[in-house]
């Protein structure tokens, strides 16, 4: 679909991604986000995604050059009574020299039409800058994801803020962190935690099947675990809690150069605080060098996180320091086809269970 801008200066072709676009796509990603990903990353996320039929990316081309992309991560979504396909919009890019030409809107509308017969809905996590653009195109805000953060080295983070805010923020965060360290987290007698430098697919899937959630979520089965934690640019450790030799809980921790994240806690329903505390305690001891450790409160009790020095994203200046994570949803297609799946409103945060494992990052 080609179209000339109102100013008559440039013509853009908006079309599906082609295999020959890969190098230009990776180059544009590097220009927009500051680091060029690898072919292995692209294969994992798009080309070899087990939930995708093809590569669900729409691109904008100007004079033979790829200058924009609207990408979708294919996933499966568990509803109260079954499973449906879902897309997560991610890696949205427009070349700096081609912004303010309406390419974000055009690529999004093209994708909504092109994939109208595919996924039931899109749920995604834009940043605050792109939130308004998503809402104008039909996405609705469910909530700001309740991410909690433990600032293990505030000095490495406060440089992102204006100088006038650095000293009071560093002092306040450090004070809260020390207070959290003094709080006593619950313990679970007889629970032993082992660390595995891999993701034991069958064990984690079994823990999930014992008490599956009723809420909307990406189902945790062997296919999910075999793919999700094969991401090539992150390292993952699994912590398994056992009582009398039997697995009673687990957490997966993803780490990179700047942070560590509790990707999920298992089982995802009916957790024991003492088991979760044992998992958190063991993981934090192994990731003491990470400047920032984060977890989603949907996955674990926020009071437990507070006991280990985590701060909610709504705490003063925390959102300014690390950003927030809006959670939006939209039925797929040219026009929203209704906001209920299996009788449950997809806009109601109480109908969702979301952790970092649902996000395309981490």
């Amino acid at each position: 679909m080609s179209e000339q801008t109102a100013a008559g200066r440039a013509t853009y072709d908006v079309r599906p991604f082609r295999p020959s676009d890969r190098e230009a796509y990776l180059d544009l990603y590097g220009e927009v986000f500051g680091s060029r990903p690898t072919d292995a990353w692209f294969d994992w996320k798009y080309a070899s995604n087990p939930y995708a039929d093809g590569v669900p990316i729409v691109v904008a081309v100007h004079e033979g050059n790829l200058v924009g992309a609207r990408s979708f991560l294919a996933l499966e979504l568990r509803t109260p009574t079954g499973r449906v396909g879902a897309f997560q919009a991610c890696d949205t890019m427009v070349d700096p020299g081609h912004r303010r030409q309406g390419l974000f809107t055009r690529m999004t509308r093209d994708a909504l039409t092109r994939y109208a017969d595919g996924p039931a809905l899109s749920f995604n996590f834009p940043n605050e800058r792109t939130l308004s653009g998503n809402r104008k195109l039909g996405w609705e805000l469910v909530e700001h994801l309740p991410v909690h953060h433990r600032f293990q080295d505030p000095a490495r983070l406060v440089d992102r803020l204006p100088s006038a805010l650095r000293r009071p923020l560093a002092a306040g965060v450090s004070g809260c962190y020390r207070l959290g360290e003094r709080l006593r987290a619950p313990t679970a007698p007889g629970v032993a935690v082992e660390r595995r430098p891999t993701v034991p697919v069958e064990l984690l899937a079994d823990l999930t099947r014992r008490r599956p959630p009723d809420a909307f979520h990406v189902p945790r089965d062997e296919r999910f675990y075999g793919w999700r934690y094969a991401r090539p640019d992150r390292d993952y450790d699994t912590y398994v809690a056992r009582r009398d030799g039997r697995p009673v809980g687990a957490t997966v921790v993803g780490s990179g150069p700047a942070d560590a994240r509790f990707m999920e806690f298992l089982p995802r329903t009916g957790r024991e605080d003492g088991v979760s505390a044992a998992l958190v305690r063991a993981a934090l001891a192994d990731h003491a060098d990470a400047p920032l450790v984060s977890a989603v409160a949907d996955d674990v009790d926020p009071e437990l996180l507070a006991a280990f020095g985590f701060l909610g994203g709504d705490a003063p200046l925390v959102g300014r320091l690390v950003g927030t994570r809006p959670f939006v949803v939209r039925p797929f297609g040219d026009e929203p086809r209704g906001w209920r799946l299996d009788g449950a409103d997809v806009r109601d945060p109480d109908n969702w269970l979301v952790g970092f494992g649902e996000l395309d990052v981490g």
Side-chain angles (χ1 to χ4, degrees), residues 248-295:
V248 292
T251 185
V252 178
V253 179
S255 57
D259 69 343
R261 296 178 179 180
F262 285 94
M263 302 300 295
E264 57 189 271
F265 288 84
L266 299 170
R268 301 192 80 190
T269 60
R271 295 178 299 270
E272 299 178 43
D273 284 346
V275 172
S276 296
L279 292 167
V280 172
R281 186 177 291 110
L284 290 178
D286 291 338
H287 293 83
D289 293 335
L292 179 70
V293 182
S294 302

Side-chain angles (χ1 to χ4, degrees), residues 35 73 78 115 163 180 213 231 244 251 276 305 307 311 326 328-329:
S35 178
L73 180 68
R78 178 77 180 184
Y115 303 116
S163 57
R231 179 173 177 152
D244 298 327
T251 185
S276 296
L305 294 175
L311 298 173
V328 299
V329 65

Side-chain angles (χ1 to χ4, degrees), residues 120-277:
L121 57 81
S122 170
F123 69 97
N124 49 289
F125 308 88
N127 57 41
E128 292 291 350
R129 296 190 307 276
T130 59
L131 175 60
S132 62
N134 278 266
R135 299 184 77 168
K136 289 178 182 177
L137 290 167
W139 274 263
E140 292 203 9
L141 181 67
V142 178
E143 64 176 340
H144 281 77
L145 205 62
V147 181
H148 291 236
H149 307 279
R150 173 179 159 116
F151 295 86
Q152 304 195 133
D153 187 357
R156 291 173 61 181
L157 297 169
V158 296
D159 286 344
R160 303 177 188 176
L161 292 176
S163 57
L165 296 176
R166 292 175 192 166
R167 181 175 297 178
L169 179 64
V173 168
S174 297
C176 291
Y177 177 70
R178 289 192 298 271
L179 174 62
E181 286 292 276
R182 290 197 297 270
L183 296 175
R184 185 183 299 275
T187 59
V191 173
V193 176
E194 63 174 314
R195 176 187 182 182
R196 297 192 183 187
T198 58
V199 176
V201 171
E202 290 78 11
L203 186 152
L204 299 185
D206 180 64
L207 281 172
T208 298
R209 280 191 288 264
R210 293 180 190 177
R211 289 193 293 267
D214 293 328
F216 296 125
H217 67 284
V218 176
R220 269 39 173 192
D221 53 19
E222 286 82 356
R223 178 169 65 160
F224 172 82
Y225 284 120
W227 164 75
R228 178 63 180 84
Y229 296 119
R231 179 173 177 152
D233 58 340
R234 296 281 285 187
D235 294 321
Y236 297 100
D237 294 303
T238 305
Y239 293 82
V240 180
R242 295 180 182 272
R243 181 183 286 120
D244 298 327
R246 179 177 181 269
V248 292
T251 185
V252 178
V253 179
S255 57
D259 69 343
R261 296 178 179 180
F262 285 94
M263 302 300 295
E264 57 189 271
F265 288 84
L266 299 170
R268 301 192 80 190
T269 60
R271 295 178 299 270
E272 299 178 43
D273 284 346
V275 172
S276 296

Side-chain angles (χ1 to χ4, degrees), residues 55-129:
V55 177
I57 297 175
V58 170
V59 300
V61 178
H62 170 64
E63 296 181 352
N65 298 312
L66 193 151
V67 298
R70 187 72 158 132
S71 312
F72 296 89
L73 180 68
L75 293 166
E76 192 173 59
L77 190 68
R78 178 77 180 184
T79 71
T81 62
R83 300 189 182 199
V84 298
F87 274 180
Q88 184 175 148
C90 55
D91 302 329
T92 299
M93 307 178 288
V94 176
D95 184 287
H98 294 268
R99 293 175 183 170
R100 301 185 183 279
Q101 303 292 331
L103 293 181
F104 172 82
T105 297
R106 288 186 54 204
M107 291 188 295
T108 301
R109 287 177 173 164
D110 182 275
L112 290 171
T113 300
R114 192 174 302 279
Y115 303 116
D117 295 329
L121 57 81
S122 170
F123 69 97
N124 49 289
F125 308 88
N127 57 41
E128 292 291 350
R129 296 190 307 276

